[in-house]
C-alpha cells in the first residue's frame, strides 16, 4: 500500500493532476464510446432471450469489467502519449486502478444477481 | 485527451459512419411487436395470504410471463427473426395508436384487476368449506381504452373510475344508461375518480364521424381489503397483463385450504380468470409453451374452450409443440375453468 502511494505521488509529480485527470477523462470517453453499443446489443438480446437472463447478466458483468480495463488502458496510453519517456510505473498503477474498479463492478453485479433481480422480477 | 484523439483520428474517421449506423439499428423503433419466451413467477412472491402460516407446500404454482416488445428496434427485429421461439408481427388495432407507456398502463390495470378477480374466485371457493373466510368486493367501472379522437385525452388516465355523466335527463350513474341519455347534445360533462381518489369533471365531445366519445370502460370487481378475511398483501409487480388469473386463483386457494393441492409438483400455466370461475383465452401461446418447456414444469394448464375454434389456446399449444419439436405433450393440461384445474390436481392426489 505504501509503495502504491509512493508510485502515485511519483506520477503526480511527473505529470501533474491536470494531465492525469485529462488522461482518465480521455479513457472514460473513448472507453464508453466503444462499449455503449456492446451494452445496448447485450441488453436487447437479453430482452429477447429472457429465459437466459442470468447468463446475460453474467456476460454483462464481464463486459463491464473489460470496459473498466479498457478505460484504464486508454488512460495509460494517453499518459504515455503526453510524455513518451515517462519514468513513473504507469502500467502497473493503472492495472491496480482497474483492478479496484473491476472489483467494484463485480460487487454491483453480484448485488444485481442475488438481491435486485429476485426482488424486482416479480 | 487531444493526444489520444490525434492518435486515434484515422480510426475515428473510418468508423464514424458505421458507428452511427449501428446506433441507429440499435435505437430506432419500428411499428411491430415481438413476443419472446419469458419465465415463471411463483405466485407466492406476488400474493401473500396471512393464513395457514404453518402449512407446508411441497410444490410450486407459478404464472408464466412472456416478453412482449411493442415497437422493437431494428436490431431486436433481426435477432427475433432468427429465433425459433419468437413471433413478430405488425402492430395493429388500438395498440398501434398507444404509446409504449400507455400500453404499460393498460397492462398494469389488467394485472391489478386480474389479481382481484383471482382473490374473489379463490376466496369464494375456499369459503364453501370454511365459513371463517370472508370476501367483500365492490363493482367499479374503469377506463380501459382511449381513442385518438377522445377530447381532453390527457386529462383521463387508464384505470380512472367512471362516476357519472350529466345526461339529457339529469345525472346518470350507471354505465348501461349512458348511451340512452347522451343523445341530444354533442358534449357532456363526465365525472371520474382518479387513482388518488379525487373526483374531476371533464367535458367529452362526440366524434363527428363515429358519433362516439372515444372511451372504453371495463366493469371490474375490486376487493375491499378492510372487510376481507384473512388479510393479504399484493407486492408490486413488474409483470403486467391478465393471463396469470387462473394460476393466481389456484395459488391463493392453496394458501386458504388445509390440503396441499400442488401434490409436490412444479405447476404453471396461463389463462385469464372470470368472476364465475371460467377461464379465458390469452395471447402468446407459443412463447408460453416454450417458457414452460425450457423451465421443465410438471403440469401446464392451458385454456381449452372449443376444440373446433382455430385459435383455441390448447389447440394452438399442440401446434406450437409440433413446431418447436416437443414430442411429449402430456404435461399440457386443457382446462375451461378453475374447477377443472382443481379437479385435475386433486385427481392426481387420489
Amino acid at each position: 500500500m505504501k509503495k502504491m502511494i509512493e508510485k502515485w505521488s511519483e506520477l503526480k509529480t511527473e505529470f501533474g493532476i491536470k494531465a492525469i485527470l485529462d488522461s482518465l477523462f480521455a479513457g472514460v470517453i473513448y472507453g464508453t464510446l466503444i462499449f455503449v453499443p456492446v451494452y445496448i446489443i447485450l441488453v436487447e438480446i437479453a430482452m429477447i432471450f429472457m429465459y437466459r437472463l442470468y447468463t446475460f447478466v453474467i456476460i454483462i458483468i464481464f463486459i463491464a469489467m473489460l470496459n473498466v480495463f479498457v478505460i484504464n488502458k486508454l488512460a495509460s496510453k494517453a499518459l504515455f502519449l503526453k510524455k513518451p519517456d515517462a519514468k513513473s510505473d504507469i502500467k502497473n498503477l493503472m492495472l491496480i486502478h482497474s483492478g479496484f474498479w473491476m472489483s467494484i463492478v463485480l460487487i454491483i453485479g453480484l448485488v444485481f444477481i442475488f438481491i435486485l433481480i429476485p426482488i424486482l422480477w416479480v | 485527451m487531444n493526444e489520444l484523439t490525434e492518435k486515434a483520428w484515422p480510426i475515428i474517421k473510418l468508423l464514424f459512419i458505421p458507428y452511427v449506423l449501428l446506433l441507429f439499428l440499435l435505437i430506432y423503433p419500428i411499428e411491430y411487436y415481438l413476443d419472446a419466451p419469458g419465465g415463471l413467477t411463483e405466485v407466492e412472491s406476488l400474493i401473500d395470504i396471512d393464513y395457514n402460516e404453518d402449512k407446508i407446500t411441497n410444490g410450486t404454482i407459478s404464472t408464466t410471463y412472456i416478453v412482449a416488445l411493442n415497437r422493437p428496434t431494428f436490431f431486436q427485429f433481426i435477432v427475433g427473426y432468427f429465433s425459433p421461439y419468437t413471433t413478430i408481427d405488425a402492430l395493429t388495432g388500438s395498440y398501434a395508436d398507444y404509446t409504449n407507456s400507455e400500453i404499460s398502463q393498460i397492462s398494469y390495470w389488467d394485472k391489478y384487476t386480474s389479481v382481484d378477480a383471482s382473490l374473489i374466485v379463490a376466496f369464494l371457493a375456499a369459503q364453501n368449506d370454511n365459513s371463517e373466510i370472508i370476501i367483500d368486493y365492490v363493482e367499479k367501472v374503469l377506463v380501459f381504452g382511449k381513442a385518438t379522437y377522445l377530447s381532453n385525452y390527457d386529462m383521463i388516465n387508464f384505470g380512472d373510475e367512471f362516476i357519472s355523466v350529466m345526461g339529457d335527463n339529469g345525472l346518470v350513474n350507471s354505465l348501461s344508461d349512458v348511451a340512452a341519455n347522451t343523445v341530444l347534445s354533442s358534449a357532456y360533462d363526465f365525472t371520474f375518480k382518479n387513482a388518488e381518489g379525487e373526483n374531476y369533471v371533464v367535458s367529452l365531445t362526440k366524434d363527428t364521424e363515429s358519433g362516439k366519445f372515444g372511451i372504453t370502460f371495463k366493469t371490474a370487481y375490486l376487493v375491499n381489503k378492510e372487510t376481507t378475511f384473512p388479510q393479504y398483501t399484493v407486492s408490486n409487480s413488474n409483470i403486467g397483463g391478465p393471463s396469470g388469473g387462473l394460476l393466481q386463483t389456484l395459488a391463493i386457494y392453496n394458501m386458504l385450504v388445509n390440503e396441499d393441492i400442488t401434490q409436490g409438483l412444479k405447476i404453471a400455466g396461463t389463462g385469464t380468470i372470470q368472476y364465475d370461475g371460467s377461464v379465458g383465452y390469452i395471447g402468446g401461446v407459443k412463447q408460453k409453451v416454450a417458457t414452460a418447456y425450457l423451465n421443465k414444469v410438471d403440469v401446464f394448464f392451458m385454456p381449452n374452450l372449443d376444440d373446433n375454434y382455430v385459435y383455441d389456446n390448447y389447440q394452438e399449444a399442440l401446434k406450437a409443440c409440433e413446431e418447436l419439436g416437443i414430442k411429449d405433450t402430456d404435461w399440457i393440461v386443457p382446462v375451461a375453468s378453475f374447477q377443472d384445474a382443481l379437479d385435475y390436481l386433486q385427481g392426481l392426489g387420489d
Side-chain angles (χ1 to χ4, degrees), chain B residues 105-128:
Chain B
Q105 284 174 45
I106 297 168
S107 199
Y108 164 81
W109 280 103
D110 269 331
K111 180 76 174 182
Y112 187 91
T113 51
S114 94
V115 168
D116 277 28
S118 297
L119 285 162
I120 293 167
V121 175
F123 271 63
L124 287 175
Q127 207 174 46
N128 290 333

Side-chain angles (χ1 to χ4, degrees), chain B residues 193-255:
Chain B
K193 188 186 267 184
N194 62 21
E196 287 78 39
E198 296 157 353
N199 283 9
Y200 64 93
V201 180
V202 62
S203 175
L204 299 185
T205 310
K206 283 184 191 169
D207 178 46
T208 44
E209 270 181 42
S210 63
K212 291 177 178 173
F213 290 107
I215 195 158
T216 310
F217 295 107
K218 177 179 165 180
T219 302
Y221 294 96
L222 301 183
V223 177
N224 195 345
K225 215 174 165 184
E226 283 72 37
T227 45
T228 290
F229 181 84
Q231 289 287 295
Y232 62 91
T233 44
V234 180
S235 306
N236 287 331
S237 174
N238 291 309
I239 300 157
S243 65
L246 170 65
L247 276 293
Q248 287 160 194
T249 311
L250 281 171
I252 296 166
Y253 179 81
N254 194 43
M255 292 175 211

Side-chain angles (χ1 to χ4, degrees), chain B residues 19-42:
Chain B
Y19 188 86
V20 172
L21 270 175
L22 177 66
L23 282 184
F24 175 78
L25 285 176
L26 293 174
I27 293 168
Y28 191 77
I30 51 174
E31 287 297 303
Y32 279 82
Y33 74 84
L34 186 154
D35 284 346
L40 305 179
T41 308
E42 277 189 41

